[in-house]
Amino acid sequence: MRRLNRKKTLNLMKELDAFPKVPESYVETSASGGTVSLIAFTTIAFLTVMEFMVYRDTWMKYEYEVDKDFTSKLRINIDITVAMRCQYVGADVLDLAETMVASADGLIYEPVVFDLTPQQKELQRMLQLIQSRLQEEHSLQDVIFKSAFKSASTALPPREDNSLQSPDACRIHGHLYVNKVAGNFHITVGKAIPHPRGHAHLAALVSHESYNFSHRIDHLSFGELIPGIINPLDGTEKIASDHNQMFQYFITVVPTKLHTYKISAETHQFSVTERERVINHAAGSHGVSGIFMKYDISSLMVTVTEEHMPFWQFLVRLCGIIGGIFSTTGILHGFGRFVAEIIFCRFRLGSYKSTSVPLSDGHTSNHLPLITDNSTH
């Protein structure tokens, strides 16, 4: 009984076979078929390698939603060098929500030399080149997101030479926390003092001839500090052409959540437009000399996630490549053979044209002559 059941099961499985095997004696091979098969196998191998490279690669997915977090503080990371002595300049933030000066106690004023060392100039030149490429090719931002990791840093290296030149500039660096509303971070002449109607700077004791707001922005970012992320103003350098000159940066900050395979953090992207002008009250150009960064917070939040192709999708695409190439090459090969047979058949029919054969009675015959093994018979 068991053997009978096995035979029935085996016969049933044979009937369900969707891939019947043809005996080799019934299979005809040809040189053209072998050539097409070689081309098909080469194409399959090439496309398989390319598909595997796509499978290994990742891409960034962007999702947008309304930012509902208005109670948390916004961190501003600052590293700016101004070509004036530290006792002559002051930095502070004017918060539009509180209409008062936000304390800038988290900033450090460090006397430095404004000119860079050759190593620092090389890094700054590289940052400026990257910034110009980012403006032309926005897709490079995805590469920067994927390559960001905590051990990298885009800050300028410290000075290695012991310059005898006395410090002629002030490096203002550090971070401070402000409310998530529009504000104005500015660096101008004199230290800031509180005022009932806003704020003021003690600039009366500073001579106008010593005004020089040439500056270099080594780093400016919002949110969590992520070394390796290049921000739009990193590496910017401006040289003042006049003592009374105003530099303005209008910044739009977008809250961003970054999730990659190397890092997960909450940061902020921002876009910036620049403007500079000389203060001349006689010509109608009013204002205050200094560096002004007016920022505004976007109501939208962007979530950037690094994604990878699933393995099952890779297998499906690979099966589609292999099956599609086999089917396509088989159809093309069959069509080519069909066309070739038609052309060769026409040539063969044309080679057997009717000929006139004279008969003994003076008539002619248009029938094809019979071909025999021996013409004398």
Side-chain angles (χ1 to χ4, degrees):
M1 289 295 294
R2 292 183 178 179
R3 291 182 179 180
L4 183 61
N5 292 334
R6 288 180 181 178
K7 289 183 179 181
K8 290 183 178 179
T9 304
L10 184 60
N11 293 331
L12 179 61
M13 296 303 295
K14 287 183 178 180
E15 293 179 359
L16 295 177
D17 187 6
F19 308 98
K21 307 301 184 293
V22 180
E24 294 184 358
S25 58
Y26 296 159
V27 178
E28 180 182 359
T29 59
S30 61
S32 61
T35 303
V36 173
S37 299
L38 183 61
I39 295 175
F41 291 144
T42 305
T43 306
I44 289 174
F46 175 75
L47 292 181
T48 300
V49 173
M50 297 298 294
E51 189 66 25
F52 181 73
M53 294 177 63
V54 173
Y55 168 72
R56 292 187 58 187
D57 193 15
T58 59
W59 61 89
M60 308 306 294
K61 179 182 179 181
Y62 292 82
E63 297 178 339
Y64 303 89
E65 59 180 320
V66 177
D67 185 14
K68 301 178 181 179
D69 184 12
F70 298 103
T71 58
S72 62
K73 296 291 184 178
L74 174 64
R75 171 170 170 162
I76 306 179
N77 307 296
I78 300 166
D79 190 352
I80 302 175
T81 301
V82 186
M84 291 181 66
R85 297 184 182 275
C86 291
Q87 60 266 28
Y88 295 157
V89 295
D92 58 89
V93 179
L94 180 62
D95 193 339
L96 296 183
E98 298 178 355
T99 63
M100 60 179 294
V101 177
S103 177
D105 296 335
L107 299 179
I108 301 174
Y109 294 79
E110 178 184 351
V112 294
V113 178
F114 189 76
D115 294 333
L116 299 175
T117 63
Q119 183 182 5
Q120 291 175 328
K121 288 182 179 179
E122 184 66 24
L123 180 58
Q124 185 190 28
R125 191 179 302 113
M126 182 188 67
L127 285 176
Q128 292 175 350
L129 178 61
I130 294 176
Q131 295 288 8
S132 61
R133 292 294 302 274
L134 283 173
Q135 294 177 2
E136 297 175 359
E137 303 179 20
H138 299 284
S139 59
L140 292 178
Q141 186 65 44
D142 293 349
V143 180
I144 294 177
F145 280 150
K146 289 190 288 186
S147 62
F149 54 100
K150 296 183 178 181
S151 60
S153 177
T154 58
L156 292 177
R159 301 183 69 92
E160 298 179 353
D161 58 335
N162 296 323
S163 178
L164 300 177
Q165 182 181 357
S166 60
D168 59 351
C170 183
R171 179 190 175 198
I172 304 174
H173 61 97
H175 64 273
L176 47 90
Y177 292 91
V178 297
N179 294 323
K180 293 183 67 173
V181 294
N184 182 7
F185 170 78
H186 52 274
I187 302 173
T188 187
V189 179
K191 302 299 181 180
I193 58 174
H195 193 274
R197 296 184 179 180
H199 73 291
H201 289 263
L202 293 176
L205 302 178
V206 183
S207 173
H208 285 276
E209 299 299 327
S210 61
Y211 286 14
N212 185 5
F213 283 100
S214 300
H215 61 280
R216 182 176 57 252
I217 304 176
D218 297 329
H219 180 77
L220 179 69
S221 64
F222 298 83
E224 182 180 348
L225 182 60
I226 305 178
I229 296 294
I230 300 178
N231 297 278
L233 288 177
D234 292 353
T236 301
E237 185 176 74
K238 298 291 183 180
I239 304 300
S241 59
D242 191 272
H243 295 291
N244 295 327
Q245 192 159 350
M246 174 190 289
F247 296 91
Q248 292 177 304
Y249 299 92
F250 301 93
I251 300 173
T252 301
V253 183
V254 181
T256 304
K257 291 183 179 180
L258 181 61
H259 302 285
T260 67
Y261 290 106
K262 294 183 179 181
I263 193 172
S264 180
E266 293 186 5
T267 182
H268 290 72
Q269 301 180 84
F270 65 91
S271 61
V272 59
T273 56
E274 306 174 9
R275 182 189 179 191
E276 58 181 84
R277 59 187 176 93
V278 176
I279 302 300
N280 189 348
H281 298 286
S285 179
H286 304 290
V288 179
S289 302
I291 305 168
F292 297 86
M293 298 183 177
K294 299 181 179 181
Y295 60 89
D296 193 7
I297 311 297
S298 174
S299 59
L300 292 179
M301 181 176 61
V302 181
T303 302
V304 185
T305 308
E306 185 178 7
E307 292 192 345
H308 187 272
M309 181 187 296
F311 184 70
W312 64 266
Q313 187 174 354
F314 168 71
L315 292 180
V316 171
R317 292 165 64 97
L318 192 62
C319 293
I321 289 175
I322 297 175
I325 291 178
F326 268 117
S327 300
T328 304
T329 52
I331 293 173
L332 294 178
H333 182 240
F335 180 75
R337 290 188 61 181
F338 175 73
V339 173
E341 289 178 358
I342 292 178
I343 295 175
F344 291 150
C345 285
R346 290 189 61 184
F347 282 137
R348 291 173 183 174
L349 292 175
S351 62
Y352 295 103
K353 294 181 179 180
S354 60
T355 57
S356 298
V357 180
L359 300 178
S360 58
D361 57 357
H363 295 85
T364 59
S365 175
N366 294 327
H367 295 284
L368 292 176
L370 294 176
I371 300 175
T372 60
D373 294 336
N374 191 349
S375 61
T376 58
H377 292 169

